[in-house]
Amino acid sequence: MADQSLIRNFSIIAHIDHGKSTLADRLIQVTGGLSAREMKDQVLDSMDIERERGITIKAQTVRLDYTAADGKQYILNLMDTPGHVDFAYEVSRCLAACEGALLVVDASQGVEAQTLANVYAALDNQLEIVPVLNKIDLPAAEPDRIKQQIEDVIGLDASDAIPISAKSGLGIDLVLEAIITRLPPPKGDPAAPFKALLIDSWYDPYLGVVVLFRVVDGMIKKGQKIRMIATNAPYQVERLGVFRPKMQVFDAIQTGEVGFFTAAIKQVADTRIGDTIVDEKNIHATPLPGFKDAQSVVFCGLFPVDAAEFEDLREAIGKLRLNDASFTYEMESSAALGFGFRCGFLGLLHLDIIRERLEREFNLDLITTAPSVIYKIHLRGGSILELHNPADMPDVTQIEKIEEPWIKATILVPDEYLGSVLKLCEDRRGRQIDLTYAGNRAMLVYALPLNEVVFDFYDRLKSVSRGYASFDYAITGYEEGDLVKMSILVNAEPVDALSMIVNRGRAEMRGRMMCEKLKDLIPQHLFQIPIQAAIGGKIIARETIKALRKDVTAKCYGGDISRKRKLLDKQKEGKKKMRQFGKVDIPQEAFIAALKMDEN
């Protein structure tokens, strides 16, 4: 049995692209977790999509053995976390299972919005934080300025921040020594009854559900009967072990350690993340403080392009849901698109990744409808409806008021781009809460309506700041708004996939832009097509796609004008009939492109 004082549980937190996964690679390499032949970049990022985009989506854990300078053998449990705002709940789960954190800051870019958000999350969990300056071998690195910035912006003492280069391996031994000397060992009573925190779970096609847990008190043995407090379900532990990063089976895991078990659990839904695991006989156990559930923020419809693929889509979504508890779905049908699913996501990146995984891993062609947020509709009778899909909006006469979700956004931006960022926030109906400076960087705090942020706020922010601004947000609550449902009519037929809820003051501009965009995207047909934006029965914008003109008189040469006239009249009759019965094909790209609003 290892001595509890020789265990260290820590996670690596940082803004996107500051080098968390690379540092994890180096630590695994230096401690001999993998041989040189098995080593590859981003070794803990197991999904193809993580490796391609160079981002971490799922937090991963690995157990390392390290012999310190004093000759003692330490066990290090490392958790590599995502940096993107959409996956903040992954970070919060890891921090609850750790005693310390390495805060990685890029020595050229400095403190960013996500750095702040993650540090505050770590401080809320009372973690010990060791600042690490990465990329000091870059010509643009300014370690002294960044140390000062960490002290000014975060308020952490950065005088003994460790300068490293995760890519070349410079300073990694200093990091390992700091983990041992500056981070505390786990607390917990080895003599108490067994109790553990469920950090994560995923589905393995061979083993069933694999549960990642951290032992808080006591110990767990192979074959032991356990119980989950939230679901009150008993299980028997079949296989027990740790990741190094490959699975290694153990007979027992003791207080303070992180490991995994399988117990013939059929569905991931049976294992609530943040749940407490106890011995089956321990019926009076008090649950540990878990995590708040991940709340879906953005909703959109996913429909198969070919209606025959609906069953394949249902199966694919079910499989993805097994490994991603933060993604929710329910069935819906649409007049224009047939059967599909209304899905809830943590943010736009999450939506994008789920859509890409469905298309890539399950070979599906999908149509995605306009992303929308949850609105609360207060009806005259006093009841409240939650509206996920603009197409389901009740009749205007029954509605007393509509409330929309607001967020508190923190934006860090270099001084020279401040004006354009302020203008962007004001254009999106934002209210400024705070503006402070740290060096030449401004820190803006704004209240913004979430539906203005969902579309393309992040892309616009990156473009007006040349990519230098960073953005983090948290939902604050609901406020009443002057909101209306805007429908798009193509050839006098409403297209539900394009209907959206907008602020009344901006409806006309939104409608006009939508119509102009669709005019360019829908190909010409043999008859004239009107495209209209409407609020209720009132048309607020219109564009017309001219008809393709086929020259029916080409084969008439010479002779009387009445022959040509007769052919032209016949064509006119045909077009009139076509406009009544003709069907307009809206191409797949048109849906997606129409929803990307660019406000020039």
Side-chain angles (χ1 to χ4, degrees), residues 109-126:
Q109 295 190 325
V111 176
E112 303 271 0
Q114 219 48 51
T115 319
L116 278 174
N118 288 338
V119 168
Y120 292 149
L123 291 172
D124 285 347
N125 282 309
Q126 280 107 35

Side-chain angles (χ1 to χ4, degrees), residues 22 110 122 145 164 198 225 265 270 305 385 396 420 447 462 471 473 479 508 512 516 527 540 577-578 595:
T22 314
R145 183 176 75 80
I164 66 161
L198 198 157
K225 287 204 163 91
I265 304 172
D270 299 338
V305 172
L385 270 184
V396 191
S420 45
K462 285 291 183 202
F471 167 67
Y473 67 85
E479 290 184 22
E508 191 182 329
R512 193 162 286 165
E516 282 170 13
F527 51 96
I540 53 171
K577 195 170 177 185
M578 254 182 177
L595 302 171

Side-chain angles (χ1 to χ4, degrees), residues 8 66-68 70 74 76 175-183:
R8 297 287 182 274
Y66 174 63
T67 310
D70 57 7
Y74 285 87
L76 310 180
V175 175
L176 285 163
E177 285 298 325
I179 290 168
I180 284 163
T181 51
R182 291 163 61 179
L183 298 183

Side-chain angles (χ1 to χ4, degrees), residues 308-371:
E309 287 185 346
F310 173 71
E311 280 305 322
D312 300 345
L313 175 64
R314 180 200 295 258
E315 196 180 314
I317 284 185
K319 282 183 180 164
L320 266 194
R321 175 79 174 86
L322 282 177
N323 281 351
D324 192 345
S326 55
F327 154 63
T328 56
Y329 67 94
E330 57 189 39
M331 228 183 100
E332 74 166 353
S333 62
S334 138
L337 301 170
F339 287 107
F341 292 95
R342 187 92 197 149
C343 304
F345 306 93
L346 298 169
L348 281 190
L349 179 74
H350 190 208
L351 183 156
D352 200 23
I353 280 165
I354 294 267
R355 199 194 74 227
E356 196 170 321
R357 284 185 67 187
L358 285 170
E359 288 181 347
R360 176 186 296 193
E361 293 172 24
F362 301 97
N363 248 341
L364 295 166
D365 280 339
L366 300 175
I367 294 176
T368 320
T369 64

